[in-house]
Amino acid sequence: MGDISVNRNHLDRLLADSAGTYGAPYQQAFAELARTHRGRPAAEILPLLARVADRALLGFSPVDLWEQARAISDGQRYVLRVTVT
């Protein structure tokens, strides 16, 4: 399980169903990677997640990104606790 703090004005960077106008929310990209990369090695998924997180300007730790990549690889759910600041 990961944790991230997001400014309330930037929720559109994270959540696909937010009211914002950000073009590529992380949630949507994560879901797409989970659909297309299930069963692939986590090491292959990690740089893709890192690129998406960087593009969304989200400060995931390397450990969080690695856990997310492993969850996608294993087909497991990933729980992310979001603190809105």
Side-chain angles (χ1 to χ4, degrees), residues 30 33-46 49 65-77:
F30 180 92
L33 284 171
R35 187 181 68 75
T36 59
H37 285 70
R38 182 179 187 177
R40 308 288 298 237
E44 179 181 320
I45 300 166
L46 182 62
L49 283 173
L65 289 172
W66 181 249
E67 289 175 354
Q68 291 176 44
R70 282 197 340 244
I72 289 172
S73 178
D74 297 340
Q76 299 294 317
R77 291 181 55 174

Side-chain angles (χ1 to χ4, degrees), residues 3-84:
D3 295 288
I4 190 169
S5 294
V6 178
N7 182 290
R8 66 184 173 100
N9 296 323
H10 298 144
L11 280 175
D12 56 346
R13 295 177 183 176
L14 179 66
L15 304 174
D17 60 352
S18 71
T21 58
Y22 189 75
Y26 188 80
Q27 181 184 34
Q28 182 179 348
F30 180 92
E32 181 65 17
L33 284 171
R35 187 181 68 75
T36 59
H37 285 70
R38 182 179 187 177
R40 308 288 298 237
E44 179 181 320
I45 300 166
L46 182 62
L48 302 174
L49 283 173
R51 192 170 327 143
V52 171
D54 286 348
R55 209 173 314 143
L57 304 173
L58 296 171
F60 286 109
S61 74
V63 171
D64 281 337
L65 289 172
W66 181 249
E67 289 175 354
Q68 291 176 44
R70 282 197 340 244
I72 289 172
S73 178
D74 297 340
Q76 299 294 317
R77 291 181 55 174
Y78 182 78
V79 177
L80 179 64
R81 284 188 293 212
V82 179
T83 301
V84 179

